[in-house]
Amino acid sequence: MAPEDVDAAVAQAEKAFHAWRKTTYEVRAALLHKVAGLMRKKKGSLAKLITLEMGKLIAQAEAEIVLSADIIDYYADNGARFLADKPLNPQYGKAFIRYSPVGVLLGVEPWNFPFYQVARFAAPNIMVGNTVLVKHASIVPQCAVALEDLFKEAGAPAGVYTNLLISGKRATALVADERIKGVALTGSEEAGASIAAQAGKYLKKSVLELGGNDAFIVLEDADIDKAVEWAVVGRINNNGECCVAVKRIIAVESIADEFLEKFKNKLANLKVGDPMAPETDLGPLSSEEAVVQLADQVKRSVDAGAKVLLGGKRLDRPGAFMAPTILTDLKPGMAAYHEELFGPVASFYRVKDEQAAIKLANDSNFGLGGSVFTRDIERGKRIADQIDTGMVFINHPTWTQADLPFGGTKRSGYGRELSELGIEEFVNKKLIRISELTDPF
Ligand code: NAP
């Protein structure tokens, strides 16, 4: 988009905000329900766009469309309740909190869930009365345009939802624009730091959803077969390109061999191939750069002493295919110990006991999700409490749904999306206080 087109889009979004903020929750909910309905109706064609542009398995792309529609409906159904006045009980007088929108927002979104990530940002904010500009990832331009078209077709006033076809660099520069009141980014640490620095410079609120290196702790009292099944799903879902995923498996010594043997067998038998074919278990990575980077991370780890139990290289076939891989003997200082591996590469660690597992889980700059597998739920809760991340799942890989908050700590970012917490990020929580004649001041 030419600079003047971007400027016109921002102007339109600001103009739309002044009218949109005055609409009722019913009007906003009706628009969102229409968008969700259209998404479901067009599930097949939208899913094909996702698979075409970033390589997700077609069944998972269809599931993403349904999940995105569910998120949009969720905010349409619950937004008015979440945003209702909250009465306070002050020492003197009467007071309440009134939620009001803040204005035009910029969302910078990643390619790995082209519809779901945008739904998480756009639906709550449109329900609040904000208007949104979306700079989507450059490798999913058709998904980006299709999203804007859904809003247009649903009858959204011009400027309520606008797609910007611009680079990341230009998105960062745009944060300085006075008409933009806040920015949310989902993506890498580098992109997050760039947006957050600019937001800080211009004193704007930002929400960052960045990378992760989730631990998947398997204790001696776990249901091993179930843990293995979930470990496979959690590692290869979305071809391994998830911010929350089974990235570091940490198994206690007594069950480590059994777990590893079963996990290896399952990974080795995955059917790798065309993501459009229904029988495929694992598709290609999103781009040539992605597979080159992942293979390099594995190579650097192996050069530093890590062992390859399975796979270890890109597959010798056309396309950005990485072999399902298991790395063991990992130590601090190695690439795979510290960096996020975005693809079907699992790191396996064996530890003495529960305490060692927790220590290792927390030895990461990331703090997004994590899992604990144990039959003793109270033990699971005690361990969850000690894991330094934004989300911990007991007997399940880190997962997502509309009514559960999503977000991280440490270098995985700040703020939350989804659930009631997600609608509260870009609102003015205004105090209104009424004095009584008898008040002392
Ligand atoms: P990315 O390269 O950071 O891209 C994400 C978005 O940021 C894209 O729209 C990209 O635009 C833009 N961008 C890139 N550099 C930028 C810059 N310097 N300033 C402003 N914007 C910039 O990340 P990705 O490779 O698409 O996504 C993978 C990462 O996202 C992983 O680390 C993953 O863990 C994380 N992620 C986190 C969550 C979460 O909820 N925490 C969810 C999904 C993914 P271009 O495409 O034009 O470069």
Side-chain angles (χ1 to χ4, degrees):
M1 285 171 83
E4 52 274 25
D5 294 335
V6 175
D7 189 61
V10 179
Q12 184 61 49
E14 199 201 24
K15 190 167 165 231
F17 170 65
H18 293 298
W20 192 244
R21 69 178 306 176
K22 293 193 188 115
T23 57
T24 62
Y25 289 133
E26 287 74 26
V27 166
R28 298 175 205 164
L31 171 68
L32 292 178
H33 278 313
K34 266 194 202 148
V35 172
L38 285 169
M39 246 184 206
R40 288 197 181 90
K41 205 170 114 196
K42 295 169 190 262
K43 183 176 83 174
S45 60
L46 296 175
K48 270 192 194 133
L49 273 188
I50 296 178
T51 301
L52 177 72
E53 292 196 314
M54 53 69 68
K56 190 185 309 249
L57 300 186
I58 190 69
Q60 292 180 13
E62 287 176 3
E64 180 181 337
I65 296 297
V66 174
L67 173 62
S68 307
D70 288 349
I71 290 168
I72 296 170
D73 278 338
Y74 169 80
Y75 282 111
D77 288 335
N78 297 290
R81 181 167 60 84
F82 294 154
L83 299 167
D85 289 347
K86 297 259 183 309
L88 299 175
N89 192 17
Q91 190 178 1
Y92 301 112
K94 291 189 180 122
F96 62 94
I97 300 285
R98 160 98 17 116
Y99 291 87
S100 46
V102 293
V104 182
L105 304 176
L106 175 64
V108 182
E109 303 297 335
W111 48 263
N112 61 342
F113 290 91
F115 281 74
Y116 157 79
Q117 292 293 346
V118 172
R120 275 176 24 163
F121 163 69
N125 284 306
I126 287 174
M127 195 62 201
V128 163
N130 295 318
T131 58
V132 302
L133 300 165
V134 176
K135 178 267 176 285
H136 217 321
S138 301
I139 66 167
V140 290
Q142 298 179 78
C143 291
V145 170
L147 274 155
E148 188 182 53
D149 286 347
L150 286 171
F151 278 88
K152 275 189 198 154
E153 194 178 335
V160 167
Y161 181 103
T162 309
N163 175 45
L164 298 180
L165 290 169
I166 56 174
S167 66
K169 215 168 141 195
R170 286 175 70 195
T172 291
L174 198 56
V175 174
D177 192 300
E178 263 189 37
R179 296 166 293 184
I180 291 174
K181 304 300 183 207
V183 57
L185 176 137
T186 297
S188 60
E189 290 169 89
E190 192 191 357
S194 162
I195 285 284
Q198 186 83 333
K201 184 171 174 193
Y202 291 93
L203 299 176
K204 296 183 187 179
K205 168 97 188 253
S206 60
V207 166
L208 298 182
E209 299 277 2
L210 309 179
N213 206 0
D214 292 2
F216 184 92
I217 298 176
V218 189
L219 297 172
E220 67 286 349
D221 64 349
D223 178 335
I224 302 299
D225 290 335
K226 200 162 243 172
V228 168
E229 262 172 46
W230 277 125
V232 175
V233 173
R235 182 57 284 193
I236 65 155
N237 180 42
N238 212 36
N239 300 328
E241 297 171 306
C242 283
C243 52
V244 288
V246 179
K247 291 179 182 156
R248 295 182 294 149
I249 297 170
I250 303 173
V252 295
E253 195 66 68
S254 55
I255 48 85
D257 287 339
E258 181 192 350
F259 180 96
L260 192 53
E261 186 61 28
K262 290 178 171 170
F263 180 62
K264 182 185 161 191
N265 283 343
K266 283 203 185 282
L267 275 198
N269 286 312
L270 293 174
K271 191 168 174 5
V272 182
D274 178 1
M276 292 283 186
E279 68 275 12
T280 302
D281 297 318
L282 183 67
L285 297 191
S286 58
S287 66
E288 177 63 17
E289 294 75 37
V291 73
V292 167
Q293 185 188 328
L294 185 59
D296 176 64
Q297 287 172 301
V298 170
K299 184 177 179 305
R300 282 189 283 122
S301 304
V302 172
D303 289 348
K307 297 217 162 60
V308 175
L309 187 69
L310 181 73
K313 292 200 165 70
R314 73 179 293 172
L315 291 173
D316 185 16
R317 56 176 289 169
F321 288 92
M322 182 74 188
T325 296
I326 302 173
L327 297 176
T328 65
D329 297 76
L330 293 159
K331 299 207 168 47
M334 296 178 181
Y337 188 93
H338 302 284
E339 297 171 16
E340 181 181 36
L341 302 178
F342 226 53
V345 180
S347 303
F348 185 85
Y349 297 85
R350 50 181 87 221
V351 291
K352 194 163 91 335
D353 55 18
E354 173 187 318
Q355 277 315 310
I358 296 168
K359 192 165 174 237
L360 180 55
N362 287 335
D363 190 20
S364 170
N365 287 330
F366 293 110
L368 198 53
S371 312
V372 185
F373 277 72
T374 169
R375 283 196 173 87
D376 178 349
I377 302 302
E378 288 310 311
R379 184 185 186 194
K381 287 199 262 182
R382 275 198 312 276
I383 294 170
D385 194 41
Q386 296 170 72
I387 294 180
D388 205 2
T389 62
M391 302 167 278
V392 182
F393 282 63
I394 298 170
N395 294 328
H396 203 279
T398 320
W399 217 248
T400 184
Q401 63 194 46
D403 54 4
L404 292 179
F406 196 105
T409 59
K410 302 199 268 186
R411 291 184 72 86
S412 293
Y414 46 79
R416 291 292 179 269
E417 289 186 336
L418 297 177
S419 80
E420 185 168 357
L421 301 189
I423 208 167
E424 293 184 358
E425 292 289 358
F426 294 104
V427 290
N428 177 10
K429 294 172 189 167
K430 187 190 291 173
L431 166 70
I432 299 184
R433 195 246 192 199
I434 306 124
S435 278
E436 309 257 327
L437 290 175
T438 50
D439 285 350
F441 58 87

